[in-house]
Structure formats: structure tokens, C-alpha cells
Amino acid sequence: MSWLNFALLTVLVLVPALLLIKQPTPFDPHSPPPAESRVPLIGSLDFFWRRWDWFAEEKHRLQQQGSSGAFSFWLAGWKVVAPAGIKGREYFFSSSQLDFDGGYAALFGQGPRLEDIGTDKMEGDANQATPQHFSKRIIALLKGGRLGAALPALISDTKARLDELGEEGTTNPFDSIYSLVFLLTVRIVGCRDIAEDRKTLDLVLKLFNDIEKSATMTTILFPWFPGPAKIKRTISAGRLYMILKKIVDERKKNGTTAQDPLQYLIDEGDSMVQIIEFLIGGLFAGLINSGINAAFILCHLGVTPEWKFKVLDEIRTVCSRHVPAEHHHLPLTKQLELLPIEAWENDFPMIDLCLKDSIRIHLHGAALRRNLTGKDLKTNEGDVIPDGALLAYHLDEIHQDPEIYPEPTKWDPARYLPERAEDKKAPFAYVGWGAGRHPCLGMRFAKLENNVIVAFFLARFEYDVVDAEGEKRSDLPPVDRNQHSAHKPEGAERVWLKYKARKE
Ligand code: HEM
């Protein structure tokens, strides 16, 4: 074919064909209207490229036309509905017909999948892991009694990691505090074999981070495609699996018992598949949000002196209330070691508010669900969710709504004080701990570890937030709202903490 013919073919056939495909095509006339932005054949890749900007633009465009702002779109073979507004949010979080795990299995990708780990092919193990088994175990492990029993270990781990920082220096909290959170998570839902062996602990954390980074558009949409990210993911998940299997095998073979979560799973008679999937799922769920938020809270406090003062005041008040008077001469960190679990769980409302607004700002991306009922569903607004379709609710739709949260990008824990109560302005206005049918099962532990880390860090160090040149900052760099989940700041977003031991 000559170049002229090829050009003619392109102009006369391919361009109209592509334009035709580019037209928004609804997958069901009764589903919400289709998104405008589409790549031919593949669908709305803006979901990966600029998630929040795109959601906001589509919603705005449709609201201008008088609808709720909900829309639908294709992603490769997936049909996806993006709910919006109060009713859309209510349906998404409350419907008993939407499947939680099915949504995340299809479009999240940050966590290891069964086929990456290899547990889907493990033979001779009758007791397969199920979401119900996972929830049952995590609820049992995060009960108050177990948290109370683990408190001394959580405190001694925190102290040891802060000791490592020395008397003064500069630290990247997204390394030092993040890895401390991982250690505490291993204590609570993992095993002592990893928590007490630094080399294994660091390796397991690295493998988790590698798996998280390998969540690309390609590995999510075409999980069978053997690209570089898929290969890296398979290797990391395989190594993780081998480390965990070796630990479980040795425990079972030697009959050794340790007072830890792994022993609890073994004593309950769980199969190897159930144990490995629990360990991986539990460590992942425990790390992803807690690690980023604990680090961010210290950064936000570092540039917001009035809140740093409020939190320090709270720490001193709690110690003076709970620590016997004869110990009041001790340094604050020593007094903190004497607090009972009830004080750690109930008496730090200011740190709680700091966490609450940090989550609102740093919980990025979309919550996911899937219709696995085998039939089409109808939402409370009459929209059709086809059988097998996914739902993606972008959390910024509510958490960055200026009508609910004025100056929404500003970290401002006072938003939740009774006189402002911004989170009570609308139904489901705060979904940072999940809501409706799927509240976070780790909230109690997440709050406890956050209180311990923030209180010990502030009691021990005076500090400022600095940039790459070591210059003090009075604010934090803007956050990339198009991220898909809580993420460590990169490039121009990076900051460090410059600290010095507090003299008391
Ligand atoms: C700051 C820390 C945390 C935040 C902000 C957070 C947030 C959330 C949110 C928003 C959901 C619901 C997602 C949805 O509706 O689609 C959720 C669910 C869940 N979270 Fe957390 N989480 C945190 C810490 C933890 C920890 C430490 C654990 C366990 C060790 C944990 C375990 C879970 C589990 C198992 C679920 C699923 C619940 C279900 O299946 O119904 N989370 N979390």
C-alpha cells in the first residue's frame, strides 16, 4: 500500500472509527451517564493518570446538567460506576448487596494477590482462606485484652527505635516512623520471629513496599501480562511467601510456642493457606494507612506550634492524672511508661483529632465495591449497577468538599470540636475509618499505636520540619491529590524532622 493510500485509509476509516469509539457509550441506559474522557477500546484511563482531578471534572460537568454527578465508565473489560452526592455515598457504604473484597481484588492492586503469593495453587490444604475467616481472626487479635497485654512490648519497641535516633539529628519520618509502625503491626498481627529479628523485619518491609510500588495500571488491568512490574511483584510476593512459610513450618515442626498472633492462629487449627493469607493481609492492612499518618501527624505538628503545644499539654496532663505523685519528678518519657492501657486508649482526645484530620487529608483515592449478586442492582436513586460491575467512590468527593470542610487542604484538627463539628454537617461526611457495613476493623489498635508514637516522640524531642537543604519550614508542601492511596511524599513533597532531645 502506498503512503497516499495509507493516509487516505487513515482519514476515511480509522479517524472516524476512533472518533466513534471516543463517543461516550453508556453500558446500560439506566446506569449513570458515561464519562466524557475515554481512550478508545481501553476506557477512562484518567482513573489511573489523574484520578481526583478527573473525578471532580466529570462530577462538576454532570452536576451542571442537573444530575447528582454520578457517572459510569469502562476500564478495559470492567464496567465501573462512580457514585456521588449524599444518596450515592449512602448507597455505597450501606448496601448489603455490594461486595467489599471483590471491589479491591479487581482495582486496588497495592496489596499482594493470591495468584502472586501462590496460595491459590497450594494443594492438600482443605481449609481455604475466606474474607470471613480473615475478619474473624483480626477481630479476635485486636480485642482490648490482647492490646493491653501487648502494651509493654509496643512501648519498649517505640522507646528502642527513638533511642536509635540519638540525642539530635535529622530523620525522614516516612522511613523511621513508618518502619516503627510496621514493627508494632508485626507485634499485633504477625509474629515474634519477625518482630525480634531486625534483618528479617527490614526485608519483609522492603518486600511489602516493592509489592505496593508494582501496582501499575498494567498490573491492575492486565494482571496476566508479564511486564517488568508483574515480574518484580511475583518475585517479591514469592520471597514473602517463602519467609512466612519457613517460620510457620518451623513452629509447627518443633512444637515451639510463643505468645504471639501466629501462635494463636496455629492453636486455632488454621491451615497454612489461612495463616499465610492472614499474615500478609493483616500486615498490609495495618501498615498502609497507619504508617503514613503517624509520620504526617509529626510533620503537621512540627509546622503548627499551637497544636504541638496543645498535644504536649495533653501529655503532661494525662501523666499528672495517672502517674503516682512520687514519680512526678521523672522525665516525661519515663512517666509515660507508667500509664495504664485505659489512659492510652481514652485520654488523648487532642492526638485523636490530629489523626482524624490527617486521615481526611492523606487517605487518597477511591473506595471500591463490586456487584457479585448475579443480577443487576438498582441504587436508591434508581441507577442500574449491572451484574459484575464495580463501584468506585472517590473519598475526596466528601473529604475535600469545601461546603463541608472549609479550606479543605488545610490540616485543622479543630474542625471536629463541638462548636464546629464539620464532620456532622451531612450524612457520611467523614468516612476516614470506613462507614456503614465496613467500618475499619483496626481502628482501636491504629489509635493506640498512634497515641504511643506521637506522645513518646513529643515528650522526647523538640523538633522542626526542614527541607532538603536543612532549612526550617513553616508549612508542608502541597499534597498530590491524584494519588491512589496513602503515600510517602516524593520529590518536592519531601520533608524531614530536625530534632534535639528535650531537656526537662
Ligand atoms: C490510620 C490508620 C487506618 C485508617 C485510616 C484505616 C482506614 C480504613 C478504611 C477507610 C476502611 C474501609 C474501606 C472501605 O470502606 O472501602 C478500612 C477497613 C479495614 N481496615 Fe483499616 N484503617 C487504618 C488502620 C487499620 C489497621 C491498623 C488495621 C489492622 C491491623 C486495619 C484493618 C482494616 C480491615 C481488616 C478493614 C476491612 C473491613 C471489612 O472487611 O469490612 N486498618 N480501614
Side-chain angles (χ1 to χ4, degrees):
M1 191 192 297
S2 72
W3 278 109
L4 189 64
N5 283 343
F6 180 73
L8 265 176
L9 178 77
T10 309
V11 172
L12 295 177
V13 181
L14 288 181
V15 169
L18 287 179
L19 284 177
L20 210 67
I21 296 171
K22 209 173 154 25
Q23 293 306 307
T25 46
F27 42 68
D28 184 297
H30 303 293
S31 293
E36 256 187 353
S37 146
R38 288 165 56 84
V39 173
L41 300 176
I42 304 182
S44 299
L45 293 188
D46 279 339
F47 179 78
F48 291 101
W49 293 335
R50 42 184 217 102
R51 189 171 290 183
W52 170 237
D53 291 346
W54 172 67
F55 263 93
E57 282 164 19
E58 294 288 356
K59 179 185 160 189
H60 180 73
R61 177 179 66 81
L62 289 162
Q63 278 184 332
Q64 297 291 301
Q65 298 168 13
S67 79
S68 69
F71 59 95
S72 51
F73 57 100
W74 288 93
L75 272 180
W78 294 108
K79 296 170 181 176
V80 191
V81 170
I86 292 179
K87 284 194 163 174
R89 210 159 59 233
E90 209 160 19
Y91 176 74
F92 181 91
F93 286 106
S94 315
S95 168
S96 60
Q97 295 182 296
L98 300 178
D99 192 80
F100 181 94
D101 298 277
Y104 284 93
L107 282 190
F108 190 58
Q110 258 93 348
R113 297 178 182 212
L114 304 192
E115 57 270 27
D116 299 324
I117 306 164
T119 45
D120 58 332
K121 293 181 206 72
M122 277 171 70
E123 286 171 10
D125 216 337
N127 298 328
Q128 290 300 313
T130 58
Q132 293 73 21
H133 170 266
F134 181 85
S135 304
K136 200 168 141 193
R137 293 287 179 260
I138 207 140
I139 289 169
L141 284 170
L142 299 180
K143 274 200 177 123
R146 279 187 169 266
L147 291 184
L151 181 64
L154 301 184
I155 288 181
S156 103
D157 286 339
T158 304
K159 277 174 51 205
R161 286 298 178 95
L162 297 186
D163 280 347
E164 283 176 16
L165 294 180
E167 287 293 293
E168 62 183 293
T170 304
T171 184
N172 177 351
F174 297 92
D175 289 335
S176 52
I177 299 299
Y178 186 84
S179 68
L180 165 59
V181 168
F182 185 60
L183 168 57
L184 303 189
T185 311
V186 172
R187 285 265 179 230
I188 292 293
V189 293
C191 58
R192 291 176 64 169
D193 316 56
I194 300 177
E196 289 163 15
D197 174 355
R198 187 63 175 263
K199 233 172 106 193
T200 312
L201 183 77
D202 290 347
L203 175 60
V204 171
L205 179 56
K206 183 188 169 306
L207 294 174
F208 267 106
N209 286 337
D210 287 348
I211 291 171
E212 201 181 334
K213 275 194 222 129
S214 71
T216 62
M217 184 177 80
T218 318
T219 53
I220 292 173
L221 287 187
F222 310 105
W224 43 265
F225 180 70
K230 165 76 177 174
I231 292 170
K232 193 164 185 196
R233 162 176 283 251
T234 309
I235 293 172
S236 302
R239 288 183 72 191
L240 193 56
Y241 169 74
M242 293 311 292
I243 293 171
L244 297 176
K245 183 165 183 313
K246 190 164 167 251
I247 292 171
V248 181
D249 276 342
E250 272 173 18
R251 275 269 182 110
K252 283 188 166 174
K253 196 170 102 207
N254 303 334
T256 44
T257 55
Q259 291 297 311
D260 67 359
L262 170 58
Q263 197 56 46
Y264 168 76
L265 303 177
I266 293 174
D267 293 347
E268 288 295 306
D270 287 357
S271 69
M272 183 66 92
V273 181
Q274 287 172 322
I275 292 177
I276 296 209
E277 286 194 27
F278 178 84
L279 291 176
I280 293 181
L283 292 178
F284 192 77
L287 174 68
I288 182 165
N289 287 304
S290 299
I292 299 292
N293 277 291
F296 260 122
I297 290 171
L298 294 178
C299 297
H300 284 298
L301 286 171
V303 294
T304 321
E306 68 274 22
W307 272 92
K308 203 199 240 180
F309 180 79
K310 267 192 192 98
V311 170
L312 256 170
D313 195 43
E314 177 168 83
I315 297 168
R316 292 197 177 103
T317 310
V318 175
C319 285
S320 67
R321 198 180 321 140
H322 290 278
V323 173
E326 68 265 29
H327 299 308
H328 283 176
H329 65 284
L330 293 173
L332 209 45
T333 45
K334 287 271 171 229
Q335 294 191 43
L336 283 175
E337 287 176 45
L338 302 174
L339 293 185
I341 182 78
E342 295 74 27
W344 282 113
E345 287 209 280
N346 305 319
D347 290 352
F348 288 98
M350 293 298 131
I351 301 185
D352 233 39
L353 296 185
C354 295
L355 175 60
K356 190 164 181 173
D357 213 38
S358 177
I359 293 173
R360 184 186 62 79
I361 293 176
H362 301 291
L363 189 71
H364 297 280
L368 301 163
R369 301 288 187 267
R370 190 170 175 201
N371 172 8
L372 285 176
T373 56
K375 56 181 190 332
D376 290 358
L377 292 174
K378 244 188 196 170
T379 69
N380 45 10
E381 292 176 289
D383 289 332
V384 167
I385 313 288
D387 178 28
L390 295 159
L391 288 94
Y393 176 71
H394 203 297
L395 300 163
D396 277 0
E397 203 248 348
I398 185 64
H399 287 165
Q400 290 295 308
D401 181 347
E403 301 281 315
I404 304 284
Y405 299 107
E407 292 187 83
T409 56
K410 183 179 170 194
W411 182 76
D412 181 5
R415 305 176 180 280
Y416 310 103
L417 292 173
E419 57 274 23
R420 284 171 65 186
E422 293 174 5
D423 56 330
K424 307 280 187 305
K425 283 188 192 166
F428 295 92
Y430 186 87
V431 291
W433 293 109
R437 300 198 69 84
H438 293 280
C440 172
L441 297 179
M443 180 174 78
R444 189 168 175 181
F445 165 56
K447 286 184 173 184
L448 172 66
E449 66 177 336
N450 190 63
N451 289 348
V452 169
I453 293 172
V454 172
F456 270 95
F457 195 93
L458 257 71
R460 185 157 189 154
F461 298 119
E462 297 187 46
Y463 70 96
D464 289 313
V465 176
V466 297
D467 62 18
E469 277 74 47
E471 292 299 318
K472 182 174 165 180
R473 290 192 63 111
S474 56
D475 58 5
L476 298 185
V479 170
D480 173 5
R481 300 232 61 85
N482 287 317
Q483 291 291 333
H484 300 170
S485 62
H487 85 122
K488 293 185 181 188
E490 282 157 18
E493 280 184 44
R494 295 180 74 192
V495 290
W496 288 260
L497 306 182
K498 190 170 178 186
Y499 58 88
K500 206 167 162 188
R502 196 177 279 286
K503 301 264 175 281
E504 289 220 34

